[in-house]
Amino acid sequence: MKYVLVTGGVVSGLGKGVTASSIGVVLKACGLRVTTIKIDPYLNTDAGTMSPFEHGEVFVLDDGGEVDLDLGNYERFLDIKLTRDNNITTGKIYQSVINKERRGDYLGKTIQVVPHITDEIQDWIERVAMNPVDGKEGPPDVCVIELGGTIGDKIFSSHNDSGIFDAGDIESMPFIEALGQFSYRVGPGNFCLVHVSLVPVLNVVGEQKTKPTQHSVRGLRGLGLAPDILACRSTEPLEENVKAKLSQFCHVPDQRAHEAILKVLDLQFVDKVPREPKLAEWTERASKFDKLKSTVKIAMVGKYTGLSDSYLSVLKALLHASVAMGRKLVVEWVPSCDLEDSAAKETPEAHKKAWKLLKGAEGILVPGGFGDRGVQGKILAAKYARENNVPYLGICLGMQIAVIDFARSIMKLPGANSTEFDPDTMSPCVIFMPEGSKTHMGATMRLGSRRTYFHATACKSAKLYDNARFIDERHRHRYEVNPEMVPEFEKAGLSFVGKDESGRRMEIIELPSHKFFIGAQFHPEFKSRPGKPSPLFLGLIAAASGQLETLLQPSSNIVNPNPVPRYTGPIVPKKTMYQKGHAKKPLDSLVNGYFANGNVIHT
């Protein structure tokens, strides 16, 4: 097994994840099988309970693992399937060591960071790196490891402006020590360290400065890790004299990345590894993107519109689909709060701007979310799309609010709501999951890959999935459409074309008479890839750009994810019990009138 470690220095946010993903793509293009590990030196055991403002979106894996967006990048760009074990956090390591100590594995010894924590880190890396992630048997050839945090920060002293240097984030120290030991453990020719650093440009003189990188490398060496390659970020391409200076003072070669990595890993003369990576597909895709002229404008309606990383997978899925449909993507960020009636009085200019952006869009997307802030604005966005025949895609909460709007506007139930937002609603069209937990937030949702069966063969969703009988998509939610109200919805004209194996969980909704109005309880964005756009996102872009009819023709080249027979088992069980709470005046069709309210993650 060969290992490539990616670290970062000087400042955070330089793009270690992008660098690690790119290295993986290049090595894969050289014929190597690649896996990846992300190390997050925080105490959380997963990213599920953290606000998007902390680490961006929460990316969900097939096995239900909740990780940060870097693992999503690895899956997207390498087209592999990772597990929660590919994400190592301080919390997981400490928990594992404590469990071993409780079992008596350490025979009564004093448990210390060195060697017990550091050994556990190394064992974890070595074990997980051997797991195949590309659907083939046998271990991968290379494991790319990203170490989160920053190493070798410069700290200026008020008494000495020359500065002193520390090791970076203190929580990274056990991992730095472990990886230093690991480089000796796997031996020469099996370990390559790529250090991502900043080369700032001072506006006063316009000169690229190398000192921060030099100091960062010096700090890294002081911790027992010597970089083999520098990946330097700057506002402009590095000048030749700057490259030469960094090469000389940091003791790294100045040459092409893939050749340097293959050389360090003793792979440059291996027969199965070509000297030049086969990147024709990526090159063609980039060339196609550069030539795009016609645009497609999509309104993204959410509450984290000020932080695009909160919706990174959604943005990437839109981009994948727009390139496939030959359109340049234009995303209009619409804060859902600004669409609400209250905003017309409190912030009239923002209200006017939000509605102008919404009405000027060719398609509307409402992504997933938690909490009641901005929900009324999302409902208004779904209503506008429905009434004006504007292509609409609602994901998770985006599907739920479309159901709420339909109940209020078409079924004339003005108090219709989700019990997440109104526990006492008399028309609870969205309710708490029967098996959900009201007392614990982390990992208590319906998480990971779940199966959806199509119950209508002529619907747009089934056609977009190439008439598959069922599909497997990833979920992350606590609330779902009330199954007892489904007959009333269907009678009023809302189609539930996708359901789970029991027929009690509503997975996909459609308005048959609409140009394109689809809601999905799952998150299709998590499985979208640059060369394999998500079918539902493809449908939205096609509808928004006037190409849906052509796309839905049988000759269209849409990947069929599950070419299997249609499900013919039982559709609806007789009774379902829901957890605590109740409506003041339950509908006649409800089972015992019981509903539930649960915790939210972010408000």
Side-chain angles (χ1 to χ4, degrees):
M1 176 65 67
K2 309 287 185 177
Y3 298 89
V4 177
L5 172 63
V6 178
T7 61
V10 184
V11 295
S12 60
L14 283 178
K16 296 188 299 297
V18 173
T19 302
S21 300
S22 300
I23 289 171
V25 168
V26 171
L27 292 178
K28 188 176 178 182
C30 286
L32 295 164
R33 297 176 62 203
V34 181
T35 185
T36 186
I37 289 174
K38 171 68 185 300
I39 295 175
D40 285 311
Y42 46 65
L43 287 173
N44 308 65
T45 55
D46 58 52
T49 56
M50 290 190 288
S51 164
F53 288 108
E54 293 287 325
H55 283 269
E57 77 168 5
V58 176
F59 189 88
V60 179
L61 304 172
D62 267 0
D63 66 357
E66 296 175 281
V67 296
D68 73 9
L69 54 86
D70 280 347
L71 266 290
N73 278 336
Y74 301 150
E75 278 209 347
R76 259 191 297 273
F77 293 119
L78 295 174
D79 196 13
I80 57 179
K81 286 189 178 180
L82 303 175
T83 70
R84 65 183 74 210
D85 279 350
N86 290 87
N87 182 218
I88 305 175
T89 71
T90 302
K92 287 180 181 178
I93 294 295
Y94 277 61
Q95 189 176 61
S96 179
V97 170
I98 290 171
N99 289 341
K100 287 183 177 181
E101 187 270 336
R102 294 289 86 184
R103 289 199 308 263
D105 292 9
Y106 300 119
L107 302 176
K109 292 182 179 178
T110 301
I111 308 303
Q112 298 176 294
V113 172
V114 181
H116 300 99
I117 297 296
T118 52
D119 283 353
E120 182 66 19
I121 293 168
Q122 295 177 71
D123 291 345
W124 191 305
I125 291 172
E126 210 162 42
R127 172 177 57 82
V128 174
M130 299 296 289
N131 297 332
V133 293
D134 55 5
K136 301 176 183 178
E137 293 185 359
D141 300 309
V142 182
C143 177
V144 179
I145 305 168
E146 179 198 343
L147 174 60
T150 310
I151 301 175
D153 298 333
K154 182 168 185 177
I155 299 179
F156 284 95
S157 166
S158 59
H159 301 290
N160 181 4
D161 62 7
S162 64
I164 58 174
F165 298 87
D166 75 341
D169 301 324
I170 190 170
E171 58 266 31
S172 299
M173 288 305 297
F175 293 100
I176 296 170
E177 175 62 29
L179 289 164
Q181 295 177 20
F182 191 69
S183 65
Y184 289 100
R185 178 171 173 169
V186 300
N190 295 316
F191 189 89
C192 177
L193 174 53
V194 179
H195 190 56
V196 185
S197 186
L198 175 69
V199 178
V201 178
L202 299 182
N203 291 333
V204 178
V205 293
E207 180 184 0
Q208 293 177 331
K209 309 300 288 186
T210 64
K211 270 293 184 284
T213 296
Q214 292 181 49
H215 286 302
S216 181
V217 170
R218 184 185 304 169
L220 191 63
R221 290 180 184 277
L223 295 169
L225 289 170
D228 299 292
I229 297 171
L230 291 179
C232 297
R233 301 298 300 269
S234 190
T235 55
E236 298 290 338
L238 291 190
E239 299 168 3
E240 290 302 319
N241 67 310
V242 173
K243 291 182 184 179
K245 190 173 182 180
L246 287 171
S247 177
Q248 179 181 5
F249 286 95
C250 298
H251 309 153
V252 294
D254 177 13
Q255 57 187 12
R256 295 195 297 172
H258 79 281
E259 291 181 352
I261 294 172
L262 294 177
K263 183 177 180 180
V264 174
L265 297 179
D266 284 343
L267 290 171
Q268 74 270 39
F269 299 121
V270 176
D271 290 339
K272 76 169 186 176
V273 181
R275 296 299 301 273
E276 290 296 325
K278 298 178 181 179
L279 293 167
E281 183 181 343
W282 285 92
T283 303
E284 182 182 351
R285 192 176 297 124
S287 177
K288 181 180 179 181
F289 177 78
D290 290 337
K291 294 176 182 177
L292 295 178
K293 296 188 182 300
S294 299
T295 61
V296 59
K297 190 179 294 184
I298 303 296
M300 180 91 78
V301 183
K303 68 177 183 178
Y304 294 117
T305 53
L307 183 67
S308 61
D309 275 0
S310 299
Y311 306 110
L312 185 65
S313 288
V314 175
L315 286 172
K316 295 297 183 184
L318 284 171
L319 182 61
H320 301 160
S322 61
V323 172
M325 297 308 301
R327 293 292 186 272
K328 185 180 288 291
L329 177 66
V330 177
V331 175
E332 299 287 10
W333 296 96
V334 181
S336 55
C337 293
D338 292 345
L339 294 172
E340 297 176 355
D341 294 339
S342 59
K345 298 178 181 179
E346 298 169 4
T347 53
E349 289 301 318
H351 179 74
K352 182 179 179 181
K353 179 182 178 182
W355 275 102
K356 183 178 180 181
L357 291 174
L358 188 74
K359 292 180 178 180
E362 296 159 303
I364 296 173
L365 190 152
V366 176
F370 295 89
D372 60 357
R373 181 167 64 86
V375 162
Q376 296 307 315
K378 295 176 183 179
I379 293 173
L380 289 172
K383 181 179 181 179
Y384 174 81
R386 178 181 54 77
E387 292 180 340
N388 293 277
N389 206 28
V390 177
Y392 175 86
L393 177 59
I395 298 172
C396 196
L397 178 61
M399 166 179 155
Q400 296 170 9
I401 59 99
V403 171
I404 294 171
D405 163 60
F406 191 87
R408 292 177 181 179
S409 302
I410 304 300
M411 298 170 65
K412 307 304 179 184
L413 299 172
N417 214 330
S418 165
T419 57
E420 178 181 7
F421 314 128
D422 181 4
D424 299 322
T425 175
M426 291 186 291
S427 302
C429 42
V430 178
I431 58 176
F432 195 56
M433 294 190 314
E435 73 275 36
S437 170
K438 292 180 62 180
T439 58
H440 290 79
M441 288 186 180
T444 58
M445 294 181 280
R446 191 166 188 245
L447 286 165
S449 183
R450 297 290 190 276
R451 186 153 288 179
T452 295
Y453 293 90
F454 285 107
H455 285 242
T457 56
C459 65
K460 296 182 181 70
S461 302
K463 290 179 180 178
L464 287 169
Y465 280 99
D466 202 20
N467 296 312
R469 297 299 181 256
F470 63 74
I471 56 174
D472 294 319
E473 293 279 8
R474 299 176 184 179
H475 293 64
R476 186 176 188 259
H477 66 95
R478 283 190 176 89
Y479 292 82
E480 52 195 29
V481 173
N482 184 352
E484 301 302 327
M485 290 186 66
V486 167
E488 298 171 51
F489 278 113
E490 291 183 324
K491 186 178 179 180
L494 183 64
S495 296
F496 293 86
V497 300
K499 302 178 183 180
D500 78 335
E501 65 278 1
S502 72
R504 298 284 292 177
R505 283 193 157 110
M506 304 302 114
E507 295 284 2
I508 307 175
I509 64 167
E510 281 193 26
L511 281 176
S513 60
H514 197 281
K515 180 191 297 184
F516 185 91
F517 194 97
I518 293 178
Q521 184 59 71
F522 49 80
H523 289 262
E525 68 271 21
F526 291 146
K527 294 182 72 172
S528 184
R529 304 288 182 263
K532 303 175 186 176
S534 163
L536 294 187
F537 280 85
L538 204 61
L540 174 66
I541 296 297
S545 58
Q547 303 179 79
L548 182 61
E549 199 170 311
T550 302
L551 179 66
L552 295 182
Q553 295 301 317
S555 59
S556 294
N557 185 25
I558 304 293
V559 177
N560 184 343
N562 294 289
V564 294
R566 182 177 173 82
Y567 172 73
T568 57
I571 298 299
V572 183
K574 290 294 182 183
K575 288 187 178 181
T576 299
M577 292 294 292
Y578 295 98
Q579 291 187 359
K580 302 174 183 177
H582 62 277
K584 291 179 179 177
K585 187 180 178 182
L587 298 173
D588 293 337
S589 60
L590 298 177
V591 177
N592 299 324
Y594 283 94
F595 309 99
N597 184 32
N599 298 314
V600 299
I601 293 181
H602 315 301
T603 58

